Amino acid sequence: MGVSDFAAVIDQTVTDGRELAESLMTATCIITADGAGEPGEMDPETGQYPDIARVTIYEGKCRVQIPSDRSSTREGSAGDREVVTQEPELQLPVDGTELVATGHQAKILTNPRDEALVDRVFTVLGRHEKSQATARRLRVIEVTG
């Protein structure tokens, strides 16, 4: 097999791998970033500021993998609240997710195989690029408590 034949095999393997990886992405999510501008004036009735508009970066299929080992879960406190921090992985298709970046928020919209993930929100901790990626695998964090 020549070098060009090997490169063609690798290209086809990556294409097939992407199709397989995406076939496992049975959940859907929306990934947003803070919008531009100020949050606006405080509502005198509620004492709250309106949320800054969020901009959609990606909406579509995804997969969430939360490791079951204790090394990925940390417990602590924030003020008078106990919190548990987990660092799962959010998997997205490679194509169409190039703009997803650190600090963006991902909200799970649907997950037919486990409804417990629906409406959970994760913050992207780091980007993921790779020469022959079959999925974009993002380290994310969820803080509950």
Side-chain angles (χ1 to χ4, degrees), residues 76-138:
S77 61
D80 59 352
R81 292 177 32 166
E82 293 297 316
V83 295
V84 175
T85 304
Q86 294 182 310
E87 291 186 22
E89 181 178 85
L90 178 65
Q91 299 175 5
L92 305 171
V94 173
D95 295 328
T97 59
E98 298 85 357
L99 298 178
V100 175
T102 302
H104 290 172
Q105 288 187 347
K107 180 178 182 179
I108 306 303
L109 301 175
T110 65
N111 189 43
R113 297 206 171 109
D114 185 356
E115 293 290 322
L117 280 172
V118 174
D119 291 330
R120 289 173 68 180
V121 178
F122 302 90
T123 300
V124 177
L125 293 178
R127 293 174 49 103
H128 177 265
E129 291 88 17
K130 193 172 164 181
S131 295
Q132 288 131 353
T134 55
R136 196 168 307 281
R137 293 171 176 86
L138 303 172

Side-chain angles (χ1 to χ4, degrees), residues 1 6 11 13-14 19 24 33 42 44-45 49 67 71 74 77 84 97 104 107 109 113 127 129-131 139-140:
M1 176 184 311
F6 184 67
D11 284 344
T13 301
V14 170
E19 288 177 16
L24 296 173
M42 182 177 66
E45 303 247 341
Y49 288 94
S71 64
R74 284 178 262 153
S77 61
V84 175
T97 59
H104 290 172
K107 180 178 182 179
L109 301 175
R113 297 206 171 109
R127 293 174 49 103
E129 291 88 17
K130 193 172 164 181
S131 295
R139 234 180 80 225
V140 296

Side-chain angles (χ1 to χ4, degrees), residues 4 17-18 21 33 37 55 63 73 84 89 103 106 125 134:
S4 63
R18 286 183 179 185
V55 176
R63 181 177 186 213
T73 302
V84 175
E89 181 178 85
L125 293 178
T134 55

